[in-house]
Amino acid sequence: MLFFILKRLAQSVLVMAVVSAVSFSLFNFVGDPVNNMVGQDATREQRIEIRQQLGLDDPILTQYSRFIGNMVQGDFGLSYRIKRPVDELIFERLPATLELVFVSAIIALVVGIGLGIYTGIRRHAWASRAVLSVSLIGVSLPTFIIGIALIYIFAVHLRWLPSSGRSGTVDLGGWKTSLLSIDGWRAIILPAITLSLFQLTLILRLVRAEMLEVMQTDFIKFARARGLSERAIHFRHALRNTLVPVITIIGLNIGGLIAFSVITETVFQWPGTGLMFIQAVDFVDVPIMAAYLVFVALLFVIINLVVDILYFVVDPRIRLGN
Amino acid sequence: MHFKKLLAVSFAALTAASPALAENVLRWTSQGDALTMDPHSQNEGPTIAMNGQIYESLVTRDADLKLQPELAESWQAGADGWTFTLRKGVKFHDGADFTAEDVVFSFERAKHEASDYKEQAKNVVSVEVIDDYTVKLVTDGPNPILPNQLTSIYMMDKGWSEANNVTTPQDFKAKEETYAVRNANGTGPFSLVSRAPDELTVLARNAAWWGEGQFPGNIDRIEYRPITNAATRVAALLSGEVDFVLDPPLQDLKRIEGADGLGVKTVAQIRSIFFGMDQGVDKLRSSDVDGNPFKDARVREAFNLAIDKAAIQRVVMEGLSFPTGMITPPGVLGNTPELDASYGFDAAKAKALLAEAGYPNGFSVQLDCPNNRYNNDEKICQAAVAMLAKIGVNVKLDAIPKAQHFPKIQKRESDFYMLGWGVPTLDSHYVFSYLLASNGSWNATGYANPRVDEITQAITTEIDIEKRTAMIDEAWQLVKAEMPYVPIHHQVLAWGISNKVDIPISADDAFRPRFAVMK
């Protein structure tokens, strides 16, 4: 067990190193940050001097080792764009992203599992067919179109909800939350729905398929033969058995939600890390891009590590094979 | 205990969120937030405009871009500098008096190595204090346009800067954020209440402002919320969440005008769009012919005649542009109706000129174009490619983000490129020195005319306005004839504004709330 975890940890470190190295080499193709950092009347000499000060002309390897060296000491540098420490910026923006991901994961789970069960059990009802056809939209339409459509329906026409931004936040000692006020909830609904749609559809279809399969199995037939109520069969026996793969998918997709939030956050001007990353790309704000990519890599690595460990605990076959 | 604290916090948040009803609150948005509140750190449009609501300069511009006194009441030119009489009784937002000492300090700060205004401020060699309310800005010889060059050099309080350890702008090697990045102490009509970069910036009316009562503006509180996505920005205006959008996309203007209670204002912007042709290199980098066709004036003329500026205006810009024959717009000293007239469109003559120059079958060249900088930039380039194809020039378009495009021009790596140029000083010198002088930092055309260089130098010191204007005109005539550039058009600015508020539009795209009136 310990050996397994150590092995995984070593692999994780390698993954992190590769991700950061690859992303670093990509920065050279994003453009020249200096042009954004000085006014148009700066002279060529001044531009060259700034490049030298920032070390932008050094070989990639030198830049990379400098970045790693500083990072190990906890120094992520200063944003080129807004001249503030990058780690501070990320931690300031993180609550917005995490809350958005949390709320949309809840929506995806509750609605996805609920509708999955319904369409699995009543698969010939017209409502099931309707849900399934509509769910196609969730998989096929790009996030930003869904987001803009929701904004025009609920903010511009009906005027029920704000179109963008994160209002009504309450500061809980450094963690600004929007889950404690009505304004905050009004603001989070549309982006959370937008972000959840893809996952929701995925869960819905997964639960439905699993339900259909489980309902065919022998133990359900036995349960029927024992004279259990339909309710008990569906929820106590069938649903439980469908949840194992669903939980696996959710675990793996939390990282995906955070990554997808880049687009949702841009459409809704949600002040999280995703929006910050897009703005950084536009400006060629290398310190933020570098730190963000390392952060996302770390997130995926941790999630995968946890999932691996869970498998190890849950599935005896992995232990035996080891 | 925890719950109580939470309750108190929530209550405070609720009350803070609802300002008194009688207040005139203006909520507005645009794409890009100011980068910093430090007035000397970033020389960038939105940053200058935002800081200009809090900080003030000696001389400013009104909504029509006319020079107006701000912290100086009057000024007088001399042979070696300008004397400014400062406004008396002006106080910074923290209550400190504004005096000559602050002017000396602010210019030193703007001239500092880490300042992004050192180019603008370099014209001021030093500042002499004559008395508490009179300063002389010493220049290197006479400088006829010094006041024009001062409008975005903002005045800071020496005492406040010293107390907060921000006597110099943040440099690129800095490891920590300075106090001035998110805090501000100016003399202007609004003071900074709260600042969450990229989220919300709140300004409140400064009741102690010197101009209180002299300007029509009646805004008590400004809430600025940047919205990156253009469609979301328009939605916020349509849903009534904001009263003013500085930069609605051109294709949405009709929609905004058609909506109840909303309107659009347009004005010719102080920014011209044009193509540069590199006549300086011996062989074009991206061409199939040997040598450099652009060295031949007939080829440059052919390019000017082959591109149908009126069609670009009609089809690409939906009417929202002013086709032109020069690379600087009306409003800038030097632009005249005759020079501004477009070269016209004559594909047959263009083809004949190419043949005369020895390229009857045309040649190939790459056009470098930004795709996220100017209105419809990439589409304009696509249109130009099609038009040049008709005279046999095979243009390969490379449309890329501005962060990659501009360095190409800076490093002189482009044969044929799109560029736009704004003129903050509203004087042709700013255009000559960057785009037409042989050593201009943005002149990637290799254009070098000794007389134009001479005039660029001479107009920095010529005090006689008539003589100076004549020289500017002479240089423009030379440029008009020699065609180092292909002028396309001047951009049009459009603001989307709610009928609840009257905001005069400014050609420099800066929002000036002192003129904004809530109805």
Side-chain angles (χ1 to χ4, degrees):
Chain A
M1 173 81 183
L2 188 67
F3 176 73
F4 174 83
I5 293 178
L6 282 178
K7 203 171 89 184
R8 278 281 184 257
L9 272 176
Q11 285 171 348
S12 306
V13 170
L14 194 71
V15 167
M16 294 281 295
V18 171
V19 166
S20 53
V22 167
S23 51
F24 226 85
S25 58
L26 284 178
F27 295 152
N28 259 32
F29 300 100
V30 188
D32 181 7
V34 173
N35 189 63
N36 296 315
M37 295 167 73
V38 296
Q40 63 181 13
D41 40 21
T43 63
R44 290 174 78 185
E45 292 69 33
Q46 286 164 4
R47 284 164 205 264
I48 291 167
E49 201 189 309
I50 293 169
R51 286 189 69 84
Q52 277 167 355
Q53 278 188 16
L54 297 174
L56 291 171
D57 293 325
D58 297 345
I60 293 291
L61 265 179
T62 318
Q63 291 190 44
Y64 178 61
S65 52
R66 189 168 49 219
F67 169 71
I68 294 290
N70 289 339
M71 191 179 71
V72 171
Q73 295 167 37
D75 175 15
F76 286 85
L78 226 54
S79 155
Y80 291 167
R81 191 170 75 94
I82 45 182
K83 308 264 176 91
R84 298 186 52 206
V86 171
D87 46 348
E88 198 182 305
L89 278 170
I90 289 186
F91 285 118
E92 211 173 275
R93 301 292 197 99
L94 204 53
T97 299
L98 290 183
E99 284 185 359
L100 180 63
V101 167
F102 174 71
V103 174
S104 58
I106 299 280
I107 294 177
L109 269 181
V110 172
V111 182
I113 294 179
L115 288 179
I117 296 171
Y118 179 80
T119 52
I121 298 171
R122 302 264 155 82
R123 57 184 157 139
H124 296 299
W126 67 268
S128 292
R129 288 161 199 257
V131 166
L132 282 176
S133 343
V134 172
S135 76
L136 269 180
I137 297 176
V139 238
S140 51
L141 272 189
T143 315
F144 68 88
I145 292 192
I146 294 174
I148 293 287
L150 288 179
I151 289 176
Y152 272 87
I153 296 169
F154 292 102
V156 175
H157 285 287
L158 299 171
R159 299 208 176 185
W160 290 349
L161 298 167
S163 61
S164 59
R166 186 182 189 225
S167 49
T169 52
V170 177
D171 199 339
L172 299 177
W175 180 291
K176 280 206 303 185
T177 175
S178 49
L179 304 181
L180 286 176
S181 71
I182 293 175
D183 272 351
W185 275 100
R186 280 163 45 86
I188 206 170
I189 290 175
L190 290 184
I193 291 179
T194 309
L195 184 59
S196 71
L197 270 188
F198 185 82
Q199 310 291 336
L200 190 159
T201 332
L202 199 71
I203 294 170
L204 188 162
R205 290 180 164 254
L206 193 69
V207 170
R208 176 177 175 272
E210 290 288 328
M211 276 301 264
L212 288 178
E213 203 181 304
V214 171
M215 293 301 282
Q216 305 293 322
T217 53
D218 290 343
F219 80 90
I220 296 290
K221 284 178 193 153
F222 278 120
R224 283 231 169 81
R226 278 162 61 201
L228 293 182
S229 68
E230 282 292 299
R231 196 185 159 82
I233 292 172
H234 290 153
F235 292 96
R236 196 169 306 155
H237 298 281
L239 178 62
R240 273 199 188 172
N241 278 284
T242 62
L243 282 186
V244 181
V246 171
I247 289 167
T248 316
I249 290 285
I250 305 271
L252 289 174
N253 273 327
I254 293 280
L257 273 180
I258 292 179
F260 272 123
S261 76
V262 169
I263 298 166
T264 308
E265 286 182 9
T266 313
V267 171
F268 288 95
Q269 193 66 25
W270 191 259
T273 47
L275 181 62
M276 182 179 74
F277 178 66
I278 284 289
Q279 287 167 334
V281 170
D282 208 40
F283 195 92
V284 198
D285 196 342
V286 175
I288 286 196
M289 287 195 289
Y292 179 80
L293 289 175
V294 168
F295 167 72
V296 169
L298 181 71
L299 209 67
F300 271 88
V301 161
I302 290 174
I303 290 171
N304 275 308
L305 188 67
V306 170
V307 170
D308 279 348
I309 293 173
L310 279 182
Y311 277 165
F312 193 86
V313 172
V314 169
D315 194 336
R317 281 169 298 183
I318 298 178
R319 259 176 295 180
L320 291 175
N322 199 14
Chain B
M1 179 59 209
H2 252 303
F3 180 70
K4 254 189 180 168
K5 202 171 160 190
L6 196 68
L7 206 68
V9 172
S10 333
F11 184 73
L14 274 177
T15 44
S18 47
L21 278 175
E23 274 196 329
N24 288 326
V25 182
L26 180 87
R27 297 154 307 162
W28 71 288
T29 184
S30 67
Q31 181 183 5
D33 199 355
L35 300 173
T36 170
M37 289 289 112
D38 187 324
H40 303 137
S41 185
Q42 290 275 3
N43 180 1
E44 185 242 15
T47 307
I48 295 171
M50 173 71 86
N51 281 330
Q53 299 166 21
I54 299 165
Y55 287 100
E56 294 178 300
S57 42
L58 295 179
V59 184
T60 191
R61 292 189 188 279
D62 60 17
D64 297 324
L65 303 189
K66 291 203 181 66
L67 279 185
Q68 299 290 353
E70 197 166 41
L71 286 178
E73 278 181 321
S74 60
W75 46 91
Q76 190 66 49
D80 63 341
W82 289 65
T83 308
F84 288 79
T85 309
L86 305 181
R87 198 177 289 281
K88 292 189 180 70
V90 173
K91 285 194 185 304
F92 285 94
H93 296 152
D94 69 353
D97 287 316
F98 166 72
T99 60
E101 183 188 46
D102 299 314
V103 179
V104 176
F105 168 76
S106 298
F107 273 99
E108 269 169 17
R109 195 173 188 275
K111 286 166 70 67
H112 185 267
E113 187 49 39
S115 159
D116 202 12
Y117 290 79
K118 53 179 183 274
E119 272 304 297
Q120 285 180 29
K122 75 171 182 197
N123 303 298
V124 177
V125 176
S126 65
V127 180
E128 280 173 17
V129 177
I130 293 173
D131 61 47
D132 262 3
Y133 294 98
T134 317
V135 292
K136 181 172 166 193
L137 305 194
V138 179
T139 54
D140 196 7
N143 181 337
I145 53 164
L146 187 71
N148 295 46
Q149 295 165 335
L150 301 179
T151 56
S152 44
I153 297 181
Y154 296 129
M155 295 296 124
M156 292 177 80
D157 183 27
K158 187 179 181 205
W160 182 82
S161 305
E162 282 169 350
N164 294 300
N165 201 17
V166 286
T167 51
T168 59
Q170 193 162 28
D171 70 21
F172 295 112
K173 283 185 193 154
K175 297 268 185 205
E176 275 170 39
E177 168 184 2
T178 68
Y179 186 75
V181 171
R182 276 187 292 163
N183 298 277
N185 178 38
T187 55
F190 292 88
S191 60
L192 184 64
V193 175
S194 70
R195 164 90 176 149
D198 296 325
E199 268 184 75
L200 180 69
T201 302
V202 179
L203 308 182
R205 186 189 196 101
N206 168 18
W209 185 44
W210 59 266
E212 192 69 21
Q214 300 175 33
F215 291 86
N218 64 353
I219 309 293
D220 298 308
R221 184 181 166 91
I222 300 173
E223 296 180 6
Y224 170 75
R225 203 155 64 84
I227 301 180
T228 313
N229 186 288
T232 312
R233 213 150 58 230
V234 173
L237 182 68
L238 292 172
S239 67
E241 287 161 83
V242 299
D243 309 305
F244 166 41
V245 176
L246 185 83
D247 45 4
L250 295 184
Q251 69 266 22
D252 282 339
L253 297 184
K254 284 193 186 109
R255 220 193 137 151
I256 296 172
E257 273 197 309
D260 272 346
L262 298 179
V264 169
K265 278 190 184 173
T266 57
V267 70
Q269 191 183 359
I270 303 292
R271 183 179 297 284
S272 306
I273 306 296
F274 45 86
F275 295 128
M277 300 167 280
D278 189 356
Q279 53 175 280
V281 287
D282 288 330
K283 181 182 179 337
L284 288 187
R285 307 153 188 91
S286 61
S287 182
D288 55 355
V289 294
D290 277 334
N292 181 351
F294 289 139
K295 279 185 186 293
D296 193 317
R298 288 169 294 191
V299 173
R300 302 199 298 272
E301 188 180 356
F303 270 53
N304 263 303
L305 292 176
I307 294 177
D308 186 351
K309 275 74 68 179
I312 290 178
Q313 179 199 31
R314 203 172 56 242
V315 180
V316 180
M317 307 304 292
E318 294 178 54
L320 291 169
S321 71
F322 294 95
T324 178
M326 68 190 299
I327 58 171
T328 207
V332 175
L333 180 73
N335 176 295
T336 63
E338 297 77 47
L339 288 162
D340 202 16
S342 154
Y343 286 103
F345 168 61
D346 189 341
K349 190 176 170 201
K351 206 164 168 33
L353 281 167
L354 271 191
E356 242 178 74
Y359 304 98
N361 301 317
F363 56 94
S364 67
V365 68
Q366 175 170 310
L367 172 59
D368 294 308
C369 183
N371 62 13
N372 61 351
R373 179 64 188 90
Y374 311 114
N375 293 345
N376 295 337
D377 38 16
E378 189 176 356
K379 287 187 196 155
I380 297 169
C381 291
Q382 284 164 348
V385 168
M387 290 163 182
L388 288 167
K390 286 192 180 145
I391 63 164
V393 179
N394 177 16
V395 182
K396 180 178 165 272
L397 177 60
D398 190 21
I400 51 178
K402 61 184 177 192
Q404 295 160 41
H405 175 71
F406 289 126
K408 273 193 189 178
I409 299 178
Q410 280 283 320
K411 292 181 194 155
R412 310 279 188 270
E413 283 169 1
S414 179
D415 291 332
F416 185 34
Y417 58 89
M418 174 184 257
L419 185 63
W421 198 249
V423 187
T425 60
L426 300 188
D427 188 271
S428 283
H429 175 257
Y430 194 87
V431 188
F432 294 162
S433 62
Y434 290 106
L435 297 176
L436 292 164
S438 51
N439 61 355
S441 58
W442 285 91
N443 176 8
T445 64
Y447 177 68
N449 181 322
R451 180 60 187 151
V452 172
D453 284 357
E454 200 182 315
I455 289 175
T456 305
Q457 218 15 263
I459 58 176
T460 58
T461 51
E462 180 55 65
I463 296 253
D464 185 332
I465 298 293
E466 233 169 77
K467 256 190 180 164
R468 187 171 183 277
T469 310
M471 277 195 279
I472 290 175
D473 196 60
E474 185 193 336
W476 277 118
Q477 299 288 358
L478 289 171
V479 171
K480 182 98 186 178
E482 294 173 345
M483 301 184 218
Y485 290 100
V486 182
I488 305 295
H489 56 233
H490 311 307
Q491 281 198 160
V492 168
L493 263 187
W495 290 4
I497 310 172
S498 156
N499 293 345
K500 283 188 292 185
V501 57
D502 185 30
I503 302 175
I505 188 168
S506 293
D508 62 351
D509 212 10
F511 167 45
R512 294 179 165 80
R514 67 185 68 172
F515 300 103
V517 180
M518 288 288 241
K519 291 166 200 163

